[in-house]
Amino acid sequence: MISVRKLWKEYDGQVVLENLNLEVGDHEFVTVVGASGCGKTTFLRMLLGEEQPTRGEFLIDGQPLPDEPGPDRGIVFQRYSVFPHLTVLQNVLLGLEFERAPLLGRLFGARRAEAVEKAEAMLQAVGLYEARHKFPSALSGGMQQRLSIAQSIVKQPKILLLDEPFGALDPGISADMHRLILRLWDEHKMTIFMITHDLKDTRLLVFDKTRLDMQAPEAYGATITYDIPLHVTTPALLRELNEAKTRTERFADVVAVGG
Amino acid sequence: MRRLINQRPNGVSAPLLGALPFILLLLVYIVASQARLAENPNDKLLPGLDSLVSAIQQVATEPDKRSGALILWRDTAASLVRLGTGVAISALAALLFGIATGALPYARATLSPFIAALALIPPLAILPVLFIVFGLGETSKIVLIVFGIAPFIMRDVAMRVGELPGEQIIKAQTLGANSWQLILRVITPQILPRLLDAVRLALGAAWLFLIAAEAIAAEDGLGYRIFLVRRYLAMDLILPYVAWITLLAFLTDWLLRVANAKLFPWYQGGARRS
Ligand SMILES: Nc1ncnc2c1ncn2[C@@H]1O[C@H](COP(=O)(O)OP(=O)(O)OP(=O)(O)O)[C@@H](O)[C@H]1O
Ligand SMILES: [Mg+2]
């Protein structure tokens, strides 16, 4: 259970997020959309513990969020989130080795074999088993993202954060990946926050600016303007949301031209 | 006709083009040397190829009258041991301090200004100090090399650590890594090939400091020999020694490059840049 109460985030004078209030239950799939630069990644980075809120509360199961990243919250970035010096299998093993070998960060013998078995099962699930001995540089973008997902999920995180994980992939592959994520979400029962640009039928959070001062664009931040529960999104609604998204972008343009 | 920037030499012409300046230099030398020798057969400045060859032959195959050693090989071994020790110590120090300052903010706050200051001291200016403190033996020469190149490699390593994508460091933490594991499994393995690259860049400076130290106080070594025979204007020995040092420098660089590609097949940076 994640609770956000009256949360504000500012970067030296610039309000990025204002007055966020949100409750997300266990095993929910939350899609986050919003105009570019409105603070979606900032929100995720606060969940991750990489950034601290300026004001307000961020609670997980009633406890304040730890102030650094940890194994209960996994992340998949748009890029750079696999380790180029490790093979596919080693990339997935890494999380298990961190957990079970505090000193060397490496497993040997029977303990390694056991971890390898688990990692290989995970690779099967994301369709990378055949490529398990390749280095990431030999994988396509989509395969790298699947690897990054496998790497996180093998740790069984309570929360999985995805920041435009398929943003760099073409739409067909992106749809496949979306199905994969939904399946893994179902199997592993974690809470997912996914920032994306194409809207699907999940609980949807829309970040937008409700106030804008042309003279001082920094003065107001974005907040959650829509919080739409699972399975009620209609094409018309999605269209309206997309328009809401572009509205702030248009404002941003006007300010840039005027100032 | 394609633009000049799009015209590339092919597999045959590229090495030929590369050899051209060398051949030209050799020709110019031969012509100049012959012209001078024709004027004055005792001229020492540009000895003919035959005297160069016989000089090499002598130091490489005939035992020295005084010490009984084959001078070229003894000099080479002495210099390479000094160079190798100095470079190895520098690389190790750079790995330790570079990674510590690159990865740990407290280590960075404590050590970075100090390392930056060390790097600014002209190494040759403290060479007398080294001779006084460590004596005229091997230690002072090795310390000079370390002093000359370690701060540079350290700062390079620290910078490379900083250049690793932040996403990777965050990701490793979400996989449960503690600081030590992160350094051991994520940072160090990715820094090693970059360290080899930095060492390659530092080798030129290492040779400079080695030869400077040997020129001032030594009993053997390539630099020592050059400065010794300079007194007799023995260009027939100096020139081959310089060529030999150049060849050694080239070979070490090549060896490091090949080692980098073999040891770290995932690392394309080195291959692309060189
Ligand atoms: N470390 C930082 N220091 C100062 N300002 C920052 C920092 N990080 C983000 N910002 C600002 O916060 C705002 C929100 O950035 P954020 O990355 O969260 O946007 P986003 O919604 O993820 O956009 P996109 O869809 O383009 O990824 C931007 O105006 C950005 O300039
Ligand atoms: Mg973003």
Side-chain angles (χ1 to χ4, degrees):
Chain A
M1 179 77 156
I2 297 162
S3 317
V4 179
R5 303 212 184 109
K6 295 191 183 147
L7 184 88
W8 291 67
K9 179 66 187 173
E10 298 172 12
Y11 283 113
D12 28 60
Q14 179 197 357
V15 181
V16 176
L17 292 171
E18 58 177 53
N19 201 18
L20 245 54
N21 293 287
L22 182 68
E23 302 268 313
V24 176
D26 290 339
H27 194 216
E28 274 205 71
F29 194 125
V30 182
T31 303
V32 180
V33 299
S36 179
C38 76
K40 305 179 297 291
T41 299
T42 305
F43 177 71
L44 227 61
R45 299 211 323 203
M46 283 192 286
L47 249 175
L48 206 52
E50 193 194 345
E51 285 283 346
Q52 315 308 323
T54 312
R55 282 191 296 283
E57 282 187 319
F58 218 132
L59 306 173
I60 293 188
D61 297 331
Q63 298 297 313
L65 210 63
D67 57 3
E68 60 176 359
D72 55 335
R73 285 151 295 148
I75 177 89
V76 174
F77 293 104
Q78 186 169 355
R79 7 183 344 216
Y80 298 129
S81 52
V82 296
F83 300 103
H85 62 294
L86 299 175
T87 63
V88 167
L89 179 64
Q90 287 168 340
N91 260 288
V92 179
L93 272 180
L94 193 65
L96 302 173
E97 292 183 305
F98 283 150
E99 181 186 322
R100 299 171 193 183
L103 215 56
L104 291 178
R106 260 175 214 284
L107 293 170
F108 301 97
R111 297 178 67 210
R112 181 170 200 277
E114 187 196 340
V116 165
E117 202 171 308
K118 196 169 168 188
E120 286 185 343
M122 197 64 239
L123 286 173
Q124 292 276 15
V126 299
L128 281 178
Y129 182 76
E130 309 302 325
R132 66 195 181 284
H133 296 307
K134 289 188 175 171
F135 283 109
S137 57
L139 302 183
S140 70
M143 290 163 94
Q144 290 190 17
Q145 290 308 83
R146 274 184 277 157
L147 175 57
S148 186
I149 292 165
Q151 198 176 30
S152 286
I153 290 183
V154 82
K155 292 290 289 180
Q156 302 284 0
K158 277 203 309 224
I159 304 170
L160 182 63
L161 308 169
L162 303 144
D163 192 351
E164 301 188 41
F166 319 131
L169 308 180
D170 72 65
I173 296 178
S174 162
D176 286 348
M177 300 287 275
H178 207 277
R179 272 192 293 281
L180 173 72
I181 286 282
L182 283 173
R183 201 185 76 221
L184 293 169
W185 169 64
D186 215 35
E187 278 168 20
H188 295 271
K189 307 283 178 236
M190 63 237 166
T191 307
I192 289 189
F193 282 83
M194 179 158 90
I195 300 179
T196 177
H197 285 293
D198 65 342
L199 310 177
K200 290 281 183 333
D201 294 348
T202 61
R203 178 173 175 187
L204 187 65
L205 298 181
V206 183
F207 283 34
D208 206 349
K209 293 192 179 187
T210 52
R211 316 180 275 177
L212 194 85
D213 183 340
M214 294 291 194
Q215 264 64 51
E218 320 254 287
Y220 301 111
T223 189
I224 297 173
T225 50
Y226 295 86
D227 180 351
I228 302 150
L230 207 64
H231 294 313
V232 300
T233 47
T234 63
L237 189 51
L238 291 184
R239 241 192 336 274
E240 192 198 333
L241 295 174
N242 272 317
E243 273 159 24
K245 245 169 57 174
T246 41
R247 215 165 30 240
T248 23
E249 284 167 327
R250 223 173 30 244
F251 273 132
D253 283 344
V254 172
V255 172
V257 171
Chain B
M1 191 71 176
R2 275 190 294 171
R3 286 179 190 80
L4 216 46
I5 54 164
N6 291 326
Q7 296 181 28
R8 290 166 204 285
N10 61 24
V12 183
S13 60
L16 284 181
L17 285 173
L20 200 62
F22 291 100
I23 296 169
L24 278 180
L25 181 67
L26 197 65
L27 285 179
V28 168
Y29 181 89
I30 291 171
V31 170
S33 150
Q34 273 171 353
R36 280 187 79 103
L37 288 172
E39 222 167 84
N40 171 13
N42 293 325
D43 182 63
K44 289 212 149 205
L45 196 62
L46 299 178
L49 283 189
D50 49 339
S51 37
L52 294 182
V53 170
S54 75
I56 305 171
Q57 229 160 25
Q58 196 188 339
V59 289
T61 58
E62 291 169 28
D64 181 44
K65 287 187 205 72
R66 227 161 14 99
S67 60
L70 298 174
I71 288 181
L72 176 67
W73 306 119
R74 202 182 75 174
D75 285 345
T76 306
S79 287
L80 285 184
V81 167
R82 288 170 193 144
L83 188 82
T85 317
V87 170
I89 292 174
S90 304
L92 205 68
L95 193 66
L96 288 178
F97 287 98
I99 287 185
T101 54
L104 306 171
Y106 266 97
R108 176 159 55 242
T110 315
L111 293 173
S112 278
F114 184 66
I115 293 174
L118 275 190
L120 289 176
I121 301 175
L124 287 178
I126 59 148
L127 184 56
V129 180
L130 298 182
F131 280 141
I132 293 167
V133 175
F134 297 106
L136 297 179
E138 298 303 297
T139 319
S140 52
K141 299 179 191 66
I142 291 169
V143 172
L144 178 71
I145 294 175
V146 173
F147 213 96
I149 66 172
F152 163 78
I153 311 182
M154 270 179 213
R155 294 172 82 185
D156 194 77
V157 167
M159 261 171 56
R160 303 288 159 248
V161 175
E163 281 170 10
L164 291 179
E167 286 91 338
Q168 273 186 29
I169 309 297
I170 300 283
K171 177 89 188 195
Q173 295 178 59
T174 68
L175 296 179
N178 59 36
S179 302
W180 167 244
Q181 290 172 323
L182 209 139
I183 287 176
L184 204 63
R185 295 285 330 259
V186 177
I187 296 179
T188 307
Q190 294 196 71
I191 287 307
L192 286 177
R194 295 168 169 91
L195 173 69
L196 280 192
D197 272 350
V199 166
R200 281 176 61 199
L201 284 180
L203 270 177
W207 275 104
L208 167 75
F209 295 124
L210 172 72
I211 289 172
E214 286 180 345
I216 294 171
E219 266 107 54
D220 51 15
L222 299 166
Y224 160 78
R225 192 70 50 197
I226 291 179
F227 279 81
L228 179 75
V229 301
R230 178 191 61 128
R231 292 182 214 154
Y232 326 118
L233 283 179
M235 284 296 266
D236 54 346
L237 196 59
I238 294 178
L239 289 179
Y241 257 65
V242 172
W244 175 234
I245 292 174
T246 311
L247 183 68
L248 287 176
F250 172 80
L251 286 179
T252 28
D253 183 70
W254 175 81
L255 219 74
L256 283 176
R257 202 177 66 208
V258 171
N260 221 354
K262 281 267 177 311
L263 291 173
F264 310 105
W266 52 269
Y267 178 69
Q268 283 114 24
R272 222 184 300 127
R273 258 181 283 136
S274 56

